[in-house]
Amino acid sequence: MRLNEIPSYIVDLAKRLGATDVAVKLTEAQRIMIRFSNNEVTVSKSFLENSVDVFVMIENHRAATAISTLSTRNIRKTVENLIKTAKSTPPADVYAPLPQGPFTYNPELMKAPKIPLDPDNLAFYVESSVKSALEKGAKRAAGTLNAYRSKITLATSGEVYASQEKAGIEISVRAFVSDLATGHAVSVASKLEDFHPEEAGRMAGEIAKAASNPKPGEPGKYMALLGPMVFADIVNQVGSLSSAFLVDAGQSFLVDKIGSEVASKKFTLIDDPTLVGSPGARAFDDEGVPTKRNVIIENGVLKTYLHNSITAKKFGVETTGNAGIIVPYPWNLTVESGSKSPEDLLAEIDDGIYVTNDWYLRYQNYRTGDFSTIPRDGMFRVKNGEIVESIRELRISDNMLRILRNIVDLSRLRAWVRWWEVEIPTLAPYALISELNFTKSAM
Amino acid sequence: MEDVAEFIVDKAREMGAEYAEARLQIDLRESIVMKNGVLEASAFEESRGLSVRVLVDGALGFASINSFRRNDADKALKHALRTAKSTSRLIRQKISMGKGELGRGKVNVKPRVSFGSVDLESRVDLLKDADEQSIQAALASGVKAPSRMITLDTWITEKMVLTSDGANVHSITPRAALFAFITVFHPQKGPTQRYFNLGETGGWEVVERWNLPKTFYDETYALSRILIEAVEPPRGEMDVVLGPEVVGIVSHESCGHPSEADRILGREAAQAGETFLKPDSIGLRVGSSYVNVVDDPTLKGSFGFYLYDDEGVKARRRVLIKEGVVNEFLHNRETASVFGVESNGSSRSVAYNREPIVRMANTFFLPGDYTEEEIFEDVKNGLYIKNFMEWNIDDRRFNQRYVGLEAYKIEGGEPKNLVKNPVLEITTIGLWSSVDAASKKLEFQAAYCGKGDPMQGIPVWTGGPHIRLRKVRIGGA
């Protein structure tokens, strides 16, 4: 059996065996990753994957599997087991049939530009990025280059059969002037012409250089400018926790907040997989529903959670095209830009802090949104609108909803962010936040 | 499996690899997800594939493919060789594989009760019972438990590791793991939350031993009491007793991670970060003489159990901090070569398509001489932090924060009133230097440790006894 015949074969087989609903996703993927540190390559990796995810329902009895051995015999045996498993699975509280197609998809979203996976070229990008960081004064650079091509073919019992190509190339580079003076930048692109490894290296190097000789920061509440990497991390939290599944599980500070002001009027957050040529563009979700532009928060007001058809039925709304068979999730987060430049925002700070990056965000309470995260890489004291010194050792210890409500302004300039800490591609501006709480270790 | 592994390694050598390693791995997993008492779905999965690592001109190449067929193995091998060759010009310090006690043989962990003998209905019934106990415990405390999430995973990992210099290890390891996330709520007090992991190596007998209905009752009852009774915590300098759950995370974050030799060399610099320790930090005092932290993959039944690592090196206990002094780093063969030591068997990979890298297994603070009562008895006014929710640590593993969940004031040598979310925000050396006692009783918790790119969440245990810190600041600087 040819690979592209597998999804329809499984749909037919599962229906014959008693499934009321079937969704089958075939993923064919090839990825090359080059990791580097101390200006040298540490390892190059190639990932070659053809795998199939299968979801069946016998009305409200649900079961799922993933198949990595794609022989006809193994597929048949696995689907038979899956039907048996579904039959013995207790009923869920709602039954929402898989959405009925056929659907029409935007053909521009289904094609991806060619990203060459030639390791010689990829190694050249790494080399040029490291060189740029060093030219800006860094002593060493580390990071990851990631290039991929994939194709998803989806078939469902709702008369869906469609293929989606994806491709991308990304670099994450961290520059070191010393152990304590570092800068980090990324370039995230789905087309080669949007990929700028030298610029990422240069930015990382510039931040690291500016961060030289950091002084211990003082804890307190400050007006803070968050760079796109930090703000993307915060926005990823908001986007992820707008999943109706997590709301239902109590793992979200957005529970019971539809229609409420959860953020400053300046803040509009959209999950927009319909942006052709963007890193998280996607034509259809895992149920075959055409994706759409969902405004999650509009001028500070929470408008919707993200749904698949099951959570939508439970919440009494329509699916938003964000399946995830069990857990809906955002595809491609974008924050509406403001009107000022990052420099203008910095100039508005009389006495504050500029944070360029963070990591290790952990909650004390998902329902209330109490959390902390650690600034890393360049962090700067700002007085009278100007950076006056590099600082270190502070932690952002605050509350998600308070931070969203304390957004003073956003920059016009936005950057795509995805890296080790930020999973969902996010188009984030600089954000000016009032009264941001910074704490510090004792001893 | 073995013939394909031999094929890869032999062919890699023929094609010019200085070193070659084949790993074939099958993970058979069954999972159920229950949300608010309703089964969301049941799932099973066979993840089956191979990876190959080669050294060519001092460059390391890795490739994986989800197949055991020879022509696919050949394809993966060619990718690994090609990318390694393409990047070798960007390497000044040639990579090599250091020495280690290479293993040959089989490690088969036999379950007492096989997963296959426990049907889906029994698993679901067990979780439903646990979930109901959660609801009852909240009601008994005068609150509600409106949100509960439970996932139960059982899986068997079969793995074959073969290297061109003689390692040949076949292992079968069953594991069980449970994740729980509970919210309790009171209209005037709001929500409080707790999550916990249970995880061990073994068959269904470990799930039976967890006594889930009682565990969920006790956990939810304790959480409800925190919601109802906890008052503002004291602030300022005081003596603090940390419970085993906190000691476990501290040992993992503030000793295990800093001791990873690949971090010391900067290999994780852009992802999981680096460490305040340097290559010459062996012998550096980082804590009081009461501090002894080890990492030991050989603990039978542990979540991080293995006897041979994913480079085929025999595992052993690693004494990371001995009487307050840095004693040993965690090494794979690559870092061992740089440091001129033998690998201590710390190379792990979470799946066939992930590179083996330096990892912890079961990291814990060694027990001391005190009884639990003795730990508390000469604390006049202090704090006992039994467990935690929020925590984080900077990328040099020096500046950390643990926010207590179940925590008590200590008065007159005894834990008294519950306090709400005390904050211990402290440096690594500050924390370890203030330890002046450890109790005799050791306890462990399961966790998934995140590291690598692509991310690898690997099963570990963290643990320790109760320990006492003298004169640390609660509430941060």
Side-chain angles (χ1 to χ4, degrees), chain B residues 3 11 16 32 78 83 113 115 119 133 146 150 222 270 287 342 367 396 432 444 470:
Chain B
D3 57 332
K11 186 149 188 193
I32 51 179
K78 282 175 179 155
T83 55
V113 182
F115 295 133
D119 62 18
Q133 290 302 310
I150 313 173
E342 283 205 2
R396 297 178 66 247
W432 290 135
F444 293 101
R470 291 294 195 192

Side-chain angles (χ1 to χ4, degrees), chain A residues 255-295:
Chain A
V255 172
D256 295 333
K257 296 270 190 308
I258 293 285
S260 303
E261 275 194 24
V262 295
S264 147
K265 284 188 167 42
K266 301 264 184 183
F267 185 66
T268 294
L269 173 63
I270 301 158
D271 179 44
D272 193 357
T274 69
L275 278 176
V276 174
S278 63
R282 177 101 187 218
F284 50 84
D285 73 2
D286 286 356
E287 296 177 336
V289 173
T291 55
K292 65 189 186 81
R293 182 178 187 272
N294 286 301
V295 180

